[in-house]
Amino acid sequence: METIRRTKIVDLLQKKKEFGATVDVKGWVRTIRGNKYVNFIHLNDGSTINNLQIVADVEKFGEDFFKPVTTGACIHVVGKLVESQGKGQTMEIQADSVEIYGTADPETYPLQKKGHSLEFLREIAYLRPRTNTFGAIFRIRHHMAYAIHKYFNDNGFFYFHTPIVTASDAEGAGSMFQVTTLDFNNTPRNDKGQVDYAEDFFGRQTNLTVSGQLEGELGAMALGAIYTFGPTFRAENSNTPRHLAEFWMIEPEVAFYDINDNMDLAEDFLKYLIRYALEHCKDDIEFLGEHFDKELVDRLQFVIANDFVRLTYTEGVEILEKSGHKFEFPVYWGADLQSEHERYLVEKHFKRPVILTDYPKEIKSFYMKQNEDGKTVRGMDVLFPKIGEIIGGSEREADYDKLVLEVETNGAITPQEAVARAANIVNQHLDAFMVLSEDELSVEVPSIFAPEGAGKNTDLDKQVEELDLSVRSYNCLKRAGIHSVRQLVEFSENDLLNIRNFGAKSIEEVKDKLQSMELGLKP
Amino acid sequence: METIRRTKIVDLLQKKKEFGATVDVKGWVRTIRGNKYVNFIHLNDGSTINNLQIVADVEKFGEDFFKPVTTGACIHVVGKLVESQGKGQTMEIQADSVEIYGTADPETYPLQKKGHSLEFLREIAYLRPRTNTFGAIFRIRHHMAYAIHKYFNDNGFFYFHTPIVTASDAEGAGSMFQVTTLDFNNTPRNDKGQVDYAEDFFGRQTNLTVSGQLEGELGAMALGAIYTFGPTFRAENSNTPRHLAEFWMIEPEVAFYDINDNMDLAEDFLKYLIRYALEHCKDDIEFLGEHFDKELVDRLQFVIANDFVRLTYTEGVEILEKSGHKFEFPVYWGADLQSEHERYLVEKHFKRPVILTDYPKEIKSFYMKQNEDGKTVRGMDVLFPKIGEIIGGSEREADYDKLVLEVETNGAITPQEAVARAANIVNQHLDAFMVLSEDELSVEVPSIFAPEGAGKNTDLDKQVEELDLSVRSYNCLKRAGIHSVRQLVEFSENDLLNIRNFGAKSIEEVKDKLQSMELGLKP
């Protein structure tokens, strides 16, 4: 007996053992039921979502033996693998011996044979990997991670570990977590009373990475083609499917690729992953389809069977403008597209994944290759049904002079914006003199959401430029078509959080500004 | 011309194209030499350590064309793949067209055709991936990471992403980096003036993970077998090959495994990785063997051809005691083995990898399964030639009562230690009364490294217990056989850093204590 090695349930169910063989299984009891002759145990060992049926004669084990074996108990069974007589399974084990490793008191063990809400499972995070839902998600996540590595390895990409703790902010992709060994109670300070980061672990202020792109590009310029696949961090307190404080991101960087190569890679990569999932995670995907999203399998099949649509941002905006659809956020050439726009193109108009390219320069990063039109850059977003943007990328600018110009003007604002802001600063200085010669003017335009009495508030006429916001917040507002304070107060906190890159920090900033003018966001 | 797709150099050298074919290659010039008839360019594209020779007729391109093409330049070549006439390569390309993507001014481009020291390359970290040495390391690292995922996937383990930002200290494996969004200049404080971590991003104090073990165990108890492979952090400023501030660690956790299963897994895993490296990274390993370690390939071959030695800690200590070898650190049953001891067993005595098991309970973690002798636990360390400990692990304690006892007594100190320390505290209180009835006693035992006049310092007779050190520092010292202050001052800072888990923080603590007694470490 001792020499039989344990077999995983997934291997038994895939018929890696012959009927009649004596097998050794270990796992956790999902359910147990019986009568005075026989007990039926459904055993799960995590290797698959499917359970193995154990049949144990009452006569053989005694009437009391299985009393402590309840849902959640951990047992070790040796027995004969036989064809199942009953419905619902093709095989079962006739138990010769059962060892009880651990019991789970039904009075206190929280996972019983019934559906539990995700909210409840959140309270018992240490046990929820044992549920079908989380088990399925974790197994699929494993297979997807493996497929990602396999895809890149088979295609000649090198896995590149970029730093997690860094002093770089990459492209300014989001708010950052500080990493420090300094003490809040005994903070070293320099002559000017500033925090002396020379005393910190790395001799400077450091944070958790928001992107490995910069280091990845160095890797690609040496190894030809690399990819990163590691944790990435955003200190943004917005609970949306798009934002997690800690998440794993994939960033391929390839020398000599143009925008078409990027699109080919993105489409081939996604289709490979979906095919891999349908092949290796069939049972888990079917479980999720049945319980969470009936169209899941069909949608995945459809995506791999059809070409992705490739069209320019300009064409996309035209379709949206002509659609007659009433969007929450306005659509016009130059606007950063919102989820509702992206999903309209994918789910309503084309009914398949879309790769949008050639975005306006102003709403994309400085390092994207400029087209000859002087207005658009070779960026691409892959838009996926039910998700929206799933991949973003670009051909990189390789014109050294253009890059220098972009970096030196900071890249975050366009020349027009720079001029507008400069003019505004001059204007503010002139303000002091203007009151000397003019009476105060106030135009009353009632605003629904401004606080009472705000109708008389002349600050409502201020332009966003005059609020002295951070570049990030300012750009986000402008991209969302919010140009004046009067417009701004019509938005709620949640509305603003839906603007890409607009996080909790920006919210605080805007609220502070409004408060200083005795105004506030729409409740 | 336009329709020929680029071929990677590794694919050409592996003969994936026929001689006579027109091919398209892109890469960086390693060297260029020529005469008045022909130029020879060695081109590298990072896909392999090997270069491809490009032959370009001077007549065809003109005399000046290749002047800007120097080491580091980036070019695009289309030409015919032919058998090479020269020595040193089997194939070459006769260039039909050459496009210069970028130049590298030999006056300023730091990577020239010569050996560069690792120290120099450290100064140009953004370029060093382009060197043979770093290229080899990065490619091997990729293949090892991939082999790790492939091994676990093929053996039914699920890849499990454990949290990077956490409030858990795991087993107290090392000093931690704090992760925070609080502001040093405006730190929220509670009524008692303490930092109010309720205001921090996660509502509590958080740090970077030192181990995913705890979460990994939850995964294993649900999915059966998981592994982690992610970044791990230690805020310890010791520059040894064993300690990096940020490194990637692999932690498998498996339900139902005993210590023998663990040893089988460890040996099979390491041999798999080495076989994979020898098969997939032959050229890169040979380069490193030639330039850094002539015995590298032989040693790797030897490791996979021979069984690892498996012996108990007790047997290991006996061998060391009988060896007659003079060790820097004393060897006795109960001592934590140092690198010198481990490497003696591996390199001198057995001349192959060794798995040591059944360590004294006191020097291992509380969660390791206790043997019936009451003295040892089922921990294992895999010791590797030239490296020392390469894997540490254990069978976990599954006796609930023993675990509760260990956790409640904190696990960090044994009952004996607890009693000894309690007695010491009482003793300190009694001190106040003892001086009333006794004359001060001082026994002069000269110490070589204590500061001048220290011979008369009665503090030298103090026991380590009396120094009121942190539990970590205290345990480390005791394990290294340092029981008194007189012994302690014979050690230098570097000696202490060699003690496992003894980091910069412990050094500071010990130095402070000694200074307060007007003593110091050996310089």
Side-chain angles (χ1 to χ4, degrees), chain A residues 370 400-411:
Chain A
Q370 295 176 25
Y400 185 70
D401 293 333
K402 282 191 183 154
L403 273 174
V404 168
L405 195 70
E406 288 290 331
V407 169
E408 293 205 342
T409 62
N410 189 17

Side-chain angles (χ1 to χ4, degrees), chain A residues 5-6 8 26-28 45-47 74 101 126 129-130 135 138-139 141-142 145-146 149-150 153 155-161 163-165 177-185 187 189 195 197 201-202 208 218 220-225 229 231 233 235-237 245-246 248 255-256 261, chain B residues 5-6 8 26-28 45-47 74 101 126 129-130 135 138-139 141-142 145-146 149-150 153 155-161 163-165 177-185 187 189 195 197 201-202 208 218 220-225 229 231 233 235-237 245-246 248 255-256 261:
Chain A
R5 287 183 72 90
R6 172 192 167 219
K8 287 186 181 176
K26 298 174 179 180
W28 297 272
D45 69 0
S47 62
C74 183
Y101 282 148
Y126 57 103
R130 295 190 189 186
F138 281 125
R139 280 184 295 268
R141 189 176 168 107
H142 159 76
Y146 184 67
H149 286 299
K150 183 165 166 52
N153 181 71
N155 286 284
F157 287 67
F158 298 108
Y159 185 27
F160 202 67
H161 289 117
I164 309 297
V165 181
F177 288 102
Q178 179 166 10
V179 175
T180 183
T181 52
L182 296 183
D183 187 346
F184 278 107
N185 292 314
T187 312
R189 297 196 178 263
V195 178
Y197 284 107
F201 190 87
F202 294 101
L208 291 178
L218 298 176
M221 293 304 109
L223 303 168
F229 183 16
F233 306 85
E236 282 158 18
N237 209 353
E246 175 177 330
W248 285 62
F256 311 119
D261 295 320
Chain B
R5 286 184 73 88
R6 172 191 166 218
K8 288 186 180 177
K26 299 174 179 181
W28 298 271
D45 69 1
S47 63
C74 184
Y101 282 148
Y126 57 101
R130 296 190 187 186
F138 281 124
R139 281 184 295 266
R141 189 175 170 108
H142 160 75
Y146 184 67
H149 286 298
K150 182 164 168 54
N153 181 70
N155 286 283
F157 288 67
F158 298 108
Y159 185 27
F160 203 68
H161 289 116
I164 309 296
V165 180
F177 287 101
Q178 181 166 7
V179 175
T180 183
T181 52
L182 296 183
D183 186 347
F184 278 107
N185 292 314
T187 313
R189 298 195 177 264
V195 178
Y197 284 107
F201 189 87
F202 293 101
L208 290 178
L218 298 176
M221 293 304 109
L223 303 169
F229 183 16
F233 305 85
E236 281 158 19
N237 208 353
E246 175 176 331
W248 285 62
F256 311 120
D261 295 321

Side-chain angles (χ1 to χ4, degrees), chain A residues 307-363:
Chain A
D307 286 343
F308 291 11
V309 175
R310 299 182 181 192
L311 85 163
T312 65
Y313 167 93
T314 304
E315 293 166 323
V317 167
E318 267 171 34
I319 291 170
L320 292 169
E321 282 177 335
K322 287 183 187 157
S323 70
H325 187 86
K326 175 93 185 86
F327 295 107
E328 198 185 336
F329 288 89
V331 172
Y332 54 92
W333 199 96
D336 204 0
L337 299 185
Q338 303 297 321
S339 275
E340 55 169 344
H341 308 134
E342 297 173 346
R343 293 184 61 175
Y344 181 89
L345 288 174
V346 171
E347 292 164 25
K348 296 270 166 57
H349 190 84
F350 289 109
K351 296 192 170 60
R352 64 174 80 172
V354 171
I355 310 184
L356 269 192
T357 58
D358 302 289
Y359 280 81
K361 197 176 146 188
E362 284 73 20
I363 61 171

Side-chain angles (χ1 to χ4, degrees), chain A residues 44-198:
Chain A
N44 189 286
D45 69 0
S47 62
T48 161
I49 198 165
N50 300 309
N51 302 323
L52 178 69
Q53 177 156 292
I54 313 288
V55 184
D57 286 342
V58 171
E59 200 181 348
K60 184 174 207 157
F61 289 91
E63 251 181 56
D64 293 340
F65 184 84
F66 284 103
K67 283 210 173 128
V69 179
T70 52
T71 295
C74 183
I75 61 172
H76 172 201
V77 179
V78 179
K80 197 197 270 186
L81 185 70
V82 297
E83 213 162 340
S84 180
Q85 317 292 309
K87 282 198 297 185
Q89 64 274 327
T90 56
M91 65 183 70
E92 62 192 28
I93 287 181
Q94 285 172 345
D96 288 325
S97 77
V98 174
E99 188 182 352
I100 302 171
Y101 282 148
T103 56
D105 184 351
E107 296 295 316
T108 53
Y109 187 71
L111 290 178
Q112 294 302 323
K113 194 204 162 186
K114 59 168 188 173
H116 296 288
S117 74
L118 294 178
E119 289 71 24
F120 171 74
L121 294 177
R122 204 177 158 77
E123 302 294 314
I124 49 164
Y126 57 103
L127 280 177
R128 65 182 180 179
R130 295 190 189 186
T131 62
N132 283 333
T133 300
F134 280 85
I137 294 288
F138 281 125
R139 280 184 295 268
I140 292 171
R141 189 176 168 107
H142 159 76
H143 285 295
M144 289 297 85
Y146 184 67
I148 288 162
H149 286 299
K150 183 165 166 52
Y151 178 85
F152 284 120
N153 181 71
D154 293 353
N155 286 284
F157 287 67
F158 298 108
Y159 185 27
F160 202 67
H161 289 117
T162 52
I164 309 297
V165 181
T166 173
S168 147
D169 174 17
E171 66 186 67
S175 310
M176 299 189 296
F177 288 102
Q178 179 166 10
V179 175
T180 183
T181 52
L182 296 183
D183 187 346
F184 278 107
N185 292 314
N186 190 13
T187 312
R189 297 196 178 263
N190 63 19
D191 300 346
K192 294 175 187 160
Q194 297 158 329
V195 178
D196 184 5
Y197 284 107

Side-chain angles (χ1 to χ4, degrees), chain B residues 250-281:
Chain B
I250 303 143
E251 295 183 284
E253 295 288 342
V254 196
F256 311 120
Y257 261 29
D258 65 19
I259 183 78
N260 292 309
D261 295 321
N262 289 351
M263 287 194 281
D264 290 345
L265 175 65
E267 180 166 349
D268 190 51
F269 174 65
L270 286 176
K271 285 180 169 172
Y272 177 87
L273 293 183
I274 294 171
R275 273 196 305 272
Y276 192 97
L278 289 171
E279 194 178 322
H280 293 82
C281 316

